[in-house]
Amino acid sequence: MSRKIKIILNPMADMGNAWKVANDLRPLITEYGNADWSGTVYPTHATELAKQAGEQGYDMVIAMGGDGTVHEVVNGLMQLPEGSRPILGVVPVGSGNDFAHAIGVPIESDHALAHALSGEAFPIDLAVMTDERGRREYFDNTLGIGFDAVVTIRSHKLPVVRGFLMYLTAVIQTILLNHNPALIQFETDQEKWEDQVLMVTLCNGGREGGGFMLSPESKMTDGVMEYVMVRKVSRPVMFRLVPEFMNGTHPRFTKQIRMGSCKKISMTSNHPLYIHADGEIYTSFGSNLRQLTFEVLPNALKVVRG
């Protein structure tokens, strides 16, 4: 019995290149049967479309776009009862494509689509954030607070460069212009502590920004999330750490960086928290959000993996 498939396309992904990619892939669909297409036209539209797809009885939803498109689709699917959530497929057509990297999806669009249409689905973990106002947001790969959230905000304002270079440029800008540590109280399911930090990243997957290997040991099937924290350090030290994060060799800097794993974690900050979830901006400059809780959801969603 063939699957009932919905493809959700973000035509503006990869600076608009996704539209052309999708057009080139249309003939491939007929080789595997058929699929219905929907395009996004405003932020969070993919969330609405994914939820509707589940309600309409689709067996699979394929996110065709970047990490932001996948993030929105995941948040739509997670609004559905567990038994009626469609399988997630991914065709990476974005700047970072970090979730696709984490699940082993081919980077070539035609190979990724063929794999999504014919591959086997396996359950993966997700995580959920609840803020002090009670709003919930799911994330599939990484969620960053502080430094890497500001990097994400700045990267969205760099229309000239693409891919990893876009994120690297934003990293340099953030070190120079936004060097603002926060004093945060942390509590996990194992311990409590307080620290001055420039960056906190929670990792379900290992990579973000198209090439920063924040948590190389992270697995999406182990029932825990890793945290990576950069303590209050100087700007020169931050520049020193950038290539270490690119190579995944930063764990050796134990004085500057704290790493660990947990199933739950809460944070209370003395400064507003700027947040990205899978590269999507959750809070930006002007926000006053200071309290967050996080929890891993084991085997929450079936995904066609590599």
Side-chain angles (χ1 to χ4, degrees):
M1 184 177 176
S2 62
R3 291 169 173 167
K4 185 180 180 184
I5 299 169
K6 167 75 77 173
I7 298 176
I8 297 177
L9 165 69
N10 175 7
M12 300 310 296
D14 195 24
M15 300 179 70
N17 188 52
W19 181 265
K20 180 182 182 301
V21 171
N23 189 57
D24 292 342
L25 291 177
R26 279 185 175 272
L28 184 62
I29 297 289
T30 59
E31 295 182 25
Y32 292 87
N34 197 14
D36 297 323
W37 292 72
S38 291
T40 62
V41 294
Y42 51 83
T44 74
H45 194 193
T47 297
E48 297 171 19
L49 292 171
K51 182 173 182 286
Q52 290 171 6
E55 293 169 343
Q56 293 165 357
Y58 282 89
D59 304 300
M60 168 179 277
V61 172
I62 297 176
M64 188 177 294
D67 287 313
T69 306
V70 176
H71 173 82
E72 289 193 10
V73 168
V74 165
N75 273 269
L77 297 179
M78 291 302 292
Q79 293 180 35
L80 299 162
E82 184 176 358
S84 59
R85 286 175 200 155
I87 294 167
L88 174 66
V90 177
V91 178
V93 195
S95 299
N97 301 318
D98 296 304
F99 179 73
H101 175 268
I103 62 173
V105 169
I107 193 64
E108 300 87 356
S109 300
D110 53 346
H111 293 174
L113 180 57
H115 182 70
L117 293 169
S118 61
E120 188 176 352
F122 301 90
I124 65 163
D125 304 336
L126 299 176
V128 62
M129 170 180 68
T130 306
D131 68 23
E132 62 195 54
R133 303 182 185 97
R135 179 183 167 192
R136 289 163 64 87
E137 187 85 3
Y138 298 91
F139 62 98
D140 49 72
N141 186 52
T142 63
L143 183 143
I145 299 167
F147 180 84
D148 61 343
V150 177
V151 168
T152 302
I153 294 167
R154 290 193 169 279
S155 72
H156 287 198
K157 300 177 181 179
L158 294 170
V160 177
V161 290
R162 297 166 62 181
F164 177 69
L165 180 60
M166 176 180 71
Y167 294 107
L168 182 59
T169 302
V171 164
I172 295 169
Q173 288 182 340
T174 303
I175 293 174
L176 295 174
L177 302 173
N178 302 94
H179 198 74
N180 304 310
L183 181 65
I184 300 180
Q185 296 174 343
F186 298 95
E187 181 175 357
T188 72
D189 45 289
Q190 305 165 40
E191 58 182 328
K192 295 182 181 179
W193 73 96
E194 183 178 85
D195 211 340
Q196 274 197 304
V197 294
L198 284 163
M199 178 181 104
V200 181
T201 306
L202 300 177
C203 301
N204 189 36
R207 190 186 86 176
E208 72 174 18
F212 293 97
M213 306 302 297
L214 266 66
S215 183
E217 302 303 316
S218 285
K219 297 179 177 62
M220 292 186 169
T221 55
D222 58 4
V224 298
M225 58 184 158
E226 283 66 39
Y227 56 80
V228 182
M229 303 178 184
V230 178
R231 296 186 171 101
K232 180 183 177 181
V233 296
S234 66
R235 285 184 173 88
V237 170
M238 282 298 288
F239 277 114
R240 173 68 184 88
L241 290 174
V242 169
E244 303 292 338
F245 277 111
M246 292 166 62
N247 295 324
T249 52
H250 55 282
R252 62 196 178 100
F253 289 81
T254 53
K255 290 184 179 180
Q256 297 85 0
I257 295 171
R258 175 171 179 152
M259 299 180 68
S261 62
C262 60
K263 295 179 179 179
K264 297 180 181 180
I265 186 169
S266 64
M267 306 176 195
T268 303
S269 172
N270 70 333
H271 288 314
L273 298 171
Y274 306 135
I275 305 163
H276 85 79
D278 299 322
E280 290 293 282
I281 298 168
Y282 185 83
T283 58
S284 188
F285 305 129
S287 168
N288 196 36
L289 199 67
R290 296 168 186 253
Q291 294 182 327
L292 303 165
T293 61
F294 302 86
E295 182 177 359
V296 173
L297 305 174
N299 301 323
L301 189 64
K302 287 187 176 181
V303 176
V304 180
R305 301 171 56 194

